Amino acid sequence: MRPSDPTLSGVLNELGGPRGGNIDPVSRARAENFLMEERVHPDRLAGYESRHPPREATRDAWTRSHNDYLQASVFVDVPETFGSLNSDAALPPAVSSTLGREQVLIRVECLDFALNETKICSLVDLEHNLAVYTGSRKDALTSQGDAKALLEEVCRSLNTNPYAVRPRFAAFAEEMQEEIESADWADRLRDRLGLAHYPSPKIKFGAHPVALMRYKVGEVTDQASHAGTTFALTVPTALDAEPYEIFHPAPKESNFGRTLNLAGCGDECDRLASEVLHLRVDYKPSHILKVGAVTTPVDTSPSRIAEMREQHLFCLRYLHGNEDFGTL
């Protein structure tokens, strides 16, 4: 994605292009993502440039203008992400077919906000109520109806908090069964899905509380049809979230995005998880598969970020037969 706006082009080339070799790895990575992107339609890029150009050729000015664009066009009820302008990033039709509708998606949701504003006293309390609701645990003092009511409050919080309208990143459950079934599922999914913004520990809760949500593609497509979007699911692009060094665009040959594994992929390129973006769905208690906590730290030092991205780029080129992808 090569911008035509001279100010934007200047700052991106300064940070991530050939001249940016001495820039800190985080700033360089954020600019590289924009320059490597192959899926943004020219009309979408033109609108991005014309409506929200940076006022000067600096990193901070670009960050502000990019976030202005997100607030106006992406972090809204019907994001530009799922409109005709983003046709180049739409998922293959098979994903929305009758068979594709049955595919199961997963997403890890942060529970900080929900635990602060509901009657759930702790993560242990939430886990207990989930077990009562699903019938795997009995409690003489709490009925399944009582437990469901509390879980509905958690879902209400997830559905209405300040981040609820953003396009949601999700992965396919079938690829993640090993992680889902493991005792340390929260840490392993945090790593494999590239959720570096879920650190540990949190002083109030002792760890970073999360919920594993599970729902079908069909639920996403049904809600998207009611919202009037052109597409229900897309491949994530550099225009769909804040500039972020843990995100990495996928080459156009890939049918899905590819998450950056925080544990590193080494020579196991098949460990790159498939990733999609979809319009928000309204969570219900039946969507909560597990609750738990991220308990281990993750290394996001500049040198580690540079190493992870180098491994990731190698795997993207190898998996999709595109040796030129990411050449700046």
Side-chain angles (χ1 to χ4, degrees), residues 269-280:
C269 292
D270 59 348
R271 297 292 291 169
L272 301 190
S274 301
E275 180 179 47
V276 299
L277 268 182
H278 65 73
L279 193 71
R280 62 174 295 275

Side-chain angles (χ1 to χ4, degrees), residues 8-272:
L8 178 59
S9 180
V11 66
L12 292 175
N13 278 305
E14 188 67 33
L15 294 174
R19 299 192 304 274
N22 294 323
I23 301 295
D24 71 274
V26 170
S27 295
R28 180 172 175 82
R30 294 177 179 184
E32 282 179 344
N33 287 341
F34 199 104
L35 295 170
M36 289 180 185
E37 185 61 67
E38 297 183 340
R39 295 180 187 274
V40 172
H41 192 280
D43 291 343
R44 188 181 184 193
L45 176 59
Y48 172 86
E49 291 182 328
S50 63
R51 296 196 302 270
H52 304 282
R55 295 184 177 181
E56 54 186 354
T58 65
R59 176 184 57 190
D60 290 343
W62 169 50
T63 299
R64 286 193 295 270
S65 65
H66 184 89
N67 286 333
D68 287 345
Y69 163 79
L70 293 175
Q71 296 299 327
S73 302
V74 178
F75 297 166
V76 293
D77 288 332
V78 183
E80 189 175 86
T81 303
F82 307 108
S84 57
L85 278 178
N86 202 31
S87 59
D88 290 355
L91 260 61
V95 178
S96 299
S97 68
T98 301
L99 181 61
R101 285 173 55 87
E102 295 301 309
Q103 293 181 91
V104 177
L105 297 171
I106 61 165
R107 175 175 165 81
V108 179
E109 286 281 2
C110 174
L111 291 175
D112 277 4
F113 196 85
L115 291 180
N116 275 322
E117 67 163 14
T118 66
K119 295 177 181 178
I120 300 289
C121 299
S122 67
L123 194 57
V124 173
D125 186 26
L126 178 57
E127 189 278 331
H128 177 74
N129 278 276
L130 179 60
V132 171
Y133 168 69
T134 59
S136 62
R137 186 179 301 170
K138 300 295 184 181
D139 185 337
L141 300 178
T142 305
S143 69
Q144 281 187 307
D146 293 335
K148 182 180 180 180
L150 285 171
L151 296 177
E152 285 175 338
E153 279 298 295
V154 172
C155 290
R156 179 201 58 76
S157 177
L158 291 174
N159 293 334
T160 60
N161 72 47
Y163 305 103
V165 298
R166 296 184 179 205
R168 292 180 176 173
F169 291 82
F172 292 94
E174 185 177 5
E175 291 185 7
M176 301 289 165
Q177 281 307 117
E178 181 181 328
E179 286 80 8
I180 292 171
E181 294 171 2
S182 65
D184 57 345
W185 63 268
D187 292 314
R188 293 183 64 177
L189 285 175
R190 185 273 312 272
D191 288 350
R192 193 164 177 208
L193 298 179
L195 305 177
H197 54 294
Y198 288 172
S200 176
K202 286 286 184 178
I203 295 174
K204 183 174 182 179
F205 299 106
H208 197 99
V210 295
L212 180 58
M213 314 302 289
R214 178 179 62 182
Y215 45 93
K216 291 184 177 181
V217 167
E219 295 178 81
V220 174
T221 56
D222 287 346
Q223 187 145 339
S225 66
H226 294 311
T229 62
T230 307
F231 310 108
L233 302 100
T234 62
V235 176
T237 76
L239 291 192
D240 295 311
E242 296 93 341
Y244 189 37
E245 59 277 10
I246 305 299
F247 171 76
H248 198 295
K252 60 181 181 297
E253 291 83 4
S254 175
N255 287 331
F256 305 99
R258 295 288 188 172
T259 61
L260 198 156
N261 193 331
L262 301 178
C265 52
D267 57 357
E268 295 182 352
C269 292
D270 59 348
R271 297 292 291 169
L272 301 190

